[in-house]
Amino acid sequence: MEEGAADLRQRKKQNCTETDKMAPDERNKENPNLGRSPKYVLFQRFAKLFFGCVAAVTSGMMYAVYLSTYHERKFWFSSRQELEREITFQGDSAIYYSFYKELLKAPSFERGVYELTHNNKTVSLRTINAVQQMTLYPELIASVLYQASGSEEVIEPVYFYIGIVFGLQGIYMAALFVTSWVMSGTWLAGMLTVAWFIINRTDTTRIDYSIPLRENWALPYFACQVAALTGYLKNNINSSAERFCYLLVSASTYTFMMMWEYSHYLLFVQAVSLLLLDSFALVQTDKVHEVYKIYLFSLFLGYLLQFENPALLVSPLLSLVAALMLSKCLQMNMKKGTFISRMLKIMYFYLVFTISVTMNFLLKTFVPHKENEHVLKFLEVKFGLNTTKNFTVNWLLCQESLQTPSQDFFLRLTQSSLLPFYILVLIICLSSVTQVILRRISGEPLKEKITLDDGRIGERPEIAYHVIHTMLMGSLAMMLEGIKYLWTPYMCMLAAFGVCSPELWMTLFKWLRLRAVHPVLLALILSMAVPSIIGFSLWKEYFPRIMTELSELQEFYDSDTVELMMWVKRQAPVAAVFAGSPQLMGMIKLCTGWMVTSLPLYNDVDLLQRNENIYQIYSKRSAEDIYKILTSYKATYLIIEDSICNEAGPVKGCRVKDLLDIANGHVVCDEGDSYAYSKYGRFCHEIKMNYSPYVNYFTRVYWNRSYFVYKINTVISFQS
């Protein structure tokens, strides 16, 4: 017994000695920084952070300079007169910039704001709160900065305005850079994100041709919010960084909501992503509910500062978040891994859905608001649930941004290699997240600390969030092409993160059970080699094209429109009211300041009805009918556009005159054949003939190759 005990003690002593010898090596292998001095580790982290921040800021600044240079080359902006510059703002962009001009012309900022909130000089027979209805907070901020900074003597207002927008696009780029950097751990991913974003600029942004659009002001703040939320959801974040990310999420969420009238819909999609993330126990519940509180605070503050905007009260975001907060107590008892808890989780989804729908219905019942019936009709027709002859609905269906994406969209993304790598990264991350969810359902606990050897990228909450969010955004983009400007930047960021992340490659190797080569070493090599190869190939193919874009002078000069605006400013009386297509009316308002009958805005029922009525000038209706319509809006001048009257149209049935004929019953389709019947010719053609009864109601006062201007007679003189 004594000899056996002695042998046992000897073996324990040897084992302890071997363990003591091996432990430092194993620890150093698992974490190489443990064997280094604290000063070296601190210096390494500081250098990585410093160079990454420099790269992010430099990328943003270079992108802003690139946009400015491209804009100058495209429009010859610096060599144009003020009127010629303003004509480059098309459609609704012209309206936004016109109010910026009015603010600068006001005797004081307070007076300018009052005139905008009680505006009766834009649309005939209507007094509107332009700040609320058109979300003019960007213009308010730009005008304050322009006057407070003393820039009047340094820079022209238009350059200051577009400079702010280009600067925000630089912030947008830097935020995408930081997001991919935080997710992958290397700023090489940020550089690849920037490259893919610029190469696919056609599908990532509309800044090229619509600078004042609300989304160009708002999306940079949303990108900052997503970057801050990515850091906030991380498990191993320290308290100071977490507090900073929380404050940044709060500030950017509120600012984003104030800049764009549709922002709460995008935040609703994000809230659904967080709901799924929390329901599958992929993130700390407390963090998710803190974000819900940010939503509620932003909605409440936005409601007050947007003149008690009822759209925020009846928004699906408020109903969903309120339902989630009410169901919080039930949710806390669902993460025990038992069969009962899984059944309660199903009931929880049902409860949240029921409360959300009920609350939204009650709010819409008791809160006065203008229901956009045309949106509901549009969705019904879009998904094949109904058919309609309504002009507004069919016109919306014909808009490119509201149609399904074309094949060219996917072809462009494939040629730039973005789509293939995005699909690869998404499949790997989604499969890993699905494994984590199955482990949760089976009751298996998750590891507190994930190492590279584990190959479980799906257990990182920020990765799971982005997988869910990008899938929801992609689903919407498959239905509406306009959503691609929200989804494609996400694709750039997620694809770049994936190919630069050793964890993603390690996750793939774990599934493949790779043994020929050490998987960790191979993952580290591929995370550097693959993005380098992609970057080199993109640089070789696309860099010469980008430089050619910046070096070539493009010519944009619409002499007919310039001549029309000059005639209006010189010949039309101050009290004149112009009628015509909404897009042209936007330019009339910007370039001349004269009152118009309609505007190119589609979030107001009355303006949509006005647009349809004024568009009747291109229909087959009598001169008397058109005269009654125009005089009902107190119009004094009518502008006919040849481009609409003689439109050939790329899509059959989507021309304005075709939609009007269908709505008015002047076209009947039977077995593929179209039959037209109307005892009147098309008004825009007939009025040019200058014969009775058209000359009784209208007198031509100006024309050129593109436009015909008619004065609407106040006294009708009947001629034979």
Side-chain angles (χ1 to χ4, degrees):
M1 289 290 295
E2 292 181 358
E3 292 179 358
D7 292 339
L8 181 61
R9 286 194 297 269
Q10 183 67 22
R11 285 196 300 272
K12 287 183 178 180
K13 184 176 181 181
Q14 292 176 354
N15 290 337
C16 292
T17 304
E18 292 175 359
T19 303
D20 292 339
K21 291 180 179 179
M22 293 298 294
D25 295 335
E26 292 177 355
R27 288 196 298 269
N28 290 339
K29 182 179 180 181
E30 182 177 347
N31 189 353
N33 290 332
L34 291 177
R36 299 171 181 173
S37 64
K39 291 184 178 180
Y40 177 81
V41 174
L42 183 63
F43 175 77
Q44 186 183 32
R45 291 178 179 176
F46 174 79
K48 183 179 179 180
L49 180 64
F50 175 77
F51 286 110
C53 290
V54 170
V57 173
T58 303
S59 298
M61 293 177 62
M62 292 298 293
Y63 180 61
V65 172
Y66 164 74
L67 289 177
S68 179
T69 305
Y70 179 77
H71 182 261
E72 172 64 26
R73 294 289 183 178
K74 182 177 181 180
F75 297 110
W76 296 11
F77 213 67
S78 60
S79 60
R80 300 294 188 190
Q81 300 296 321
E82 182 180 6
L83 177 61
E84 297 168 352
R85 293 173 184 170
E86 291 175 350
I87 287 177
T88 62
F89 297 114
Q90 303 286 324
D92 49 351
S93 298
I95 293 298
Y96 298 129
Y97 185 75
S98 69
F99 289 118
Y100 169 72
K101 281 181 58 179
E102 289 186 11
L103 279 169
L104 295 181
K105 292 179 181 178
S108 66
F109 178 74
E110 293 78 9
R111 182 62 185 176
V113 173
Y114 178 82
E115 291 178 353
L116 289 185
T117 54
H118 302 79
N119 186 282
N120 58 1
K121 299 179 180 178
T122 298
V123 183
S124 61
L125 302 180
R126 275 198 67 178
T127 299
I128 59 176
N129 184 342
V131 177
Q132 176 191 350
Q133 189 165 348
M134 303 178 192
T135 319
L136 297 181
Y137 297 96
E139 282 67 34
L140 295 179
I141 296 172
S143 62
V144 168
L145 292 177
Y146 184 73
Q147 293 173 337
S149 60
S151 302
E152 294 93 335
E153 300 178 358
V154 179
I155 188 173
E156 296 180 49
V158 64
Y159 281 109
F160 187 84
Y161 185 90
I162 64 176
I164 293 178
V165 180
F166 289 156
L168 286 174
Q169 298 307 301
I171 295 175
Y172 189 8
M173 182 65 72
L176 292 174
F177 184 107
V178 171
T179 304
S180 57
W181 175 21
V182 171
M183 292 171 64
S184 64
T186 171
W187 49 267
L188 186 62
M191 299 297 293
L192 188 56
T193 301
V194 172
W196 264 327
F197 186 96
I198 295 177
I199 290 170
N200 296 282
R201 192 182 71 255
T202 305
D203 302 304
T204 55
T205 179
R206 288 194 282 191
I207 190 69
D208 286 358
Y209 52 89
S210 297
I211 293 176
L213 281 180
R214 301 301 84 179
E215 63 189 64
N216 292 333
W217 285 88
L219 289 182
Y221 296 102
F222 183 67
C224 292
Q225 191 251 25
V226 170
L229 185 62
T230 302
Y232 181 68
L233 294 177
K234 291 173 69 73
N235 285 329
N236 58 345
I237 187 173
N238 59 59
S239 58
S240 300
E242 181 178 335
R243 192 178 302 110
F244 172 77
C245 290
Y246 177 81
L247 293 175
L248 184 56
V249 169
S250 303
S252 54
T253 300
Y254 171 70
T255 308
F256 174 58
M257 192 171 293
M258 295 293 291
M259 292 290 175
W260 196 16
E261 65 268 27
Y262 300 118
S263 58
H264 55 89
Y265 292 110
L266 190 55
L267 292 175
F268 171 75
V269 177
Q270 187 182 73
V272 173
S273 305
L274 293 174
L275 167 63
L276 296 175
L277 195 69
D278 182 40
S279 300
F280 293 120
L282 299 175
V283 69
Q284 299 178 26
T285 301
D286 293 340
K287 288 187 176 182
V288 174
H289 284 281
E290 287 298 322
V291 179
Y292 292 158
K293 292 177 183 177
I294 293 174
Y295 291 152
L296 289 177
F297 175 77
S298 299
L299 284 168
F300 173 73
L301 195 58
Y303 172 75
L304 295 179
L305 295 183
Q306 290 184 9
F307 306 93
E308 299 182 355
N309 186 5
L312 296 180
L313 290 183
V314 300
S315 67
L317 176 64
L318 178 61
S319 301
L320 176 64
V321 174
L324 290 169
M325 299 299 287
L326 290 175
S327 306
K328 180 178 180 180
C329 296
L330 179 61
Q331 185 187 23
M332 297 301 292
N333 298 321
M334 290 181 187
K335 299 177 181 177
K336 299 179 180 179
T338 63
F339 175 78
I340 296 178
S341 68
R342 291 194 290 272
M343 294 301 296
L344 288 175
K345 190 180 293 293
I346 298 175
M347 292 178 60
Y348 170 72
F349 278 110
Y350 175 77
L351 180 64
V352 169
F353 176 78
T354 304
I355 295 177
S356 299
V357 174
T358 304
M359 184 173 295
N360 192 258
F361 175 78
L362 292 175
L363 287 172
K364 288 184 176 180
T365 302
F366 294 103
V367 175
H369 71 289
K370 293 182 179 180
E371 181 65 43
N372 293 327
E373 296 181 0
H374 65 281
V375 176
L376 299 178
K377 291 180 181 178
F378 165 78
L379 294 176
E380 289 180 359
V381 178
K382 178 71 176 178
F383 296 114
L385 302 177
N386 198 356
T387 58
T388 183
K389 294 182 179 181
N390 182 275
F391 171 82
T392 299
V393 175
N394 288 328
W395 185 84
L396 290 173
L397 287 170
C398 287
Q399 298 305 299
E400 182 180 356
S401 60
L402 298 179
Q403 295 180 3
T404 55
S406 62
Q407 293 182 354
D408 293 339
F409 167 62
F410 299 102
L411 181 62
R412 289 192 298 269
L413 297 185
T414 302
Q415 289 175 341
S416 65
S417 73
L418 172 60
L419 186 60
F421 283 106
Y422 169 77
I423 294 175
L424 172 65
V425 172
L426 182 61
I427 290 175
I428 296 175
C429 291
L430 180 60
S431 301
S432 183
V433 171
T434 304
Q435 285 184 337
V436 175
I437 294 174
L438 293 176
R439 292 192 192 103
R440 276 295 194 187
I441 294 176
S442 62
E444 179 182 342
L446 300 181
K447 296 184 66 174
E448 294 183 1
K449 186 177 181 181
I450 305 299
T451 62
L452 183 59
D453 289 335
D454 295 326
R456 294 185 178 183
I457 196 170
E459 291 193 13
R460 291 173 54 187
E462 70 274 18
I463 304 301
Y465 158 71
H466 281 287
V467 168
I468 297 173
H469 198 178
T470 190
M471 290 181 63
L472 292 177
M473 295 295 296
S475 301
L476 294 174
M478 292 301 101
M479 295 183 289
L480 303 173
E481 186 172 0
I483 305 295
K484 72 179 183 180
Y485 298 108
L486 307 175
W487 182 49
T488 313
Y490 237 106
M491 295 176 65
C492 299
M493 180 266 296
L494 194 68
F497 138 75
V499 298
C500 297
S501 174
E503 289 181 78
L504 183 131
W505 293 107
M506 192 63 197
T507 302
L508 178 62
F509 295 153
K510 280 288 184 179
W511 294 340
L512 299 177
R513 297 181 180 180
L514 184 67
R515 296 177 181 177
V517 183
H518 197 285
V520 175
L521 179 61
L522 184 59
L524 292 172
I525 294 175
L526 288 179
S527 65
M528 294 292 291
V530 172
S532 300
I533 294 173
I534 296 173
F536 178 75
S537 62
L538 294 178
W539 177 82
K540 184 178 181 181
E541 181 175 356
Y542 290 96
F543 183 75
R545 300 184 189 180
I546 293 175
M547 296 307 296
T548 302
E549 267 187 353
L550 297 180
S551 60
E552 288 183 348
L553 286 173
Q554 304 180 40
E555 185 173 359
F556 178 87
Y557 186 71
D558 189 350
S559 59
D560 291 343
T561 305
V562 172
E563 292 172 3
L564 173 65
M565 298 303 164
M566 293 297 294
W567 181 88
V568 172
K569 295 178 71 173
R570 292 173 180 173
Q571 302 296 330
V574 178
V577 178
F578 284 85
S581 69
Q583 290 73 22
L584 180 60
M585 293 302 99
M587 283 196 288
I588 289 284
K589 175 60 182 173
L590 168 60
C591 299
T592 68
W594 265 246
M595 189 177 293
V596 295
T597 57
S598 59
L599 291 175
L601 299 172
Y602 313 109
N603 58 355
D604 183 271
V605 176
D606 178 65
L607 287 177
L608 284 170
Q609 187 60 51
R610 282 176 176 246
N611 293 344
E612 180 177 352
N613 292 338
I614 299 300
Y615 265 133
Q616 296 297 325
I617 61 180
Y618 301 105
S619 68
K620 297 178 178 180
R621 296 183 63 173
S622 67
E624 183 180 2
D625 289 345
I626 302 300
Y627 181 82
K628 289 179 179 179
I629 292 174
L630 297 176
T631 53
S632 68
Y633 294 119
K634 301 298 181 183
T636 55
Y637 287 89
L638 168 65
I639 303 179
I640 300 290
E641 297 175 63
D642 250 9
S643 59
I644 300 178
C645 190
N646 300 318
E647 181 182 6
V651 181
K652 185 179 181 180
C654 276
R655 298 178 301 180
V656 169
K657 52 187 179 182
D658 294 337
L659 298 176
L660 289 168
D661 291 343
I662 294 172
N664 296 334
H666 294 159
V667 171
V668 177
C669 298
D670 183 18
E671 296 181 358
D673 297 325
S674 298
Y675 303 94
Y677 65 96
S678 175
K679 62 180 181 179
Y680 303 107
R682 195 167 302 282
F683 177 83
C684 61
H685 288 310
E686 299 295 324
I687 194 175
K688 298 176 186 177
M689 303 299 180
N690 285 331
Y691 60 76
S692 182
Y694 297 92
V695 293
N696 303 333
Y697 298 100
F698 308 97
T699 302
R700 187 165 64 187
V701 293
Y702 174 80
W703 71 94
N704 59 28
R705 292 173 300 178
S706 302
Y707 303 101
F708 292 80
V709 182
Y710 295 86
K711 188 178 187 304
I712 302 173
N713 298 333
T714 55
V715 178
I716 304 174
S717 59
F718 290 95
Q719 304 175 16
S720 58

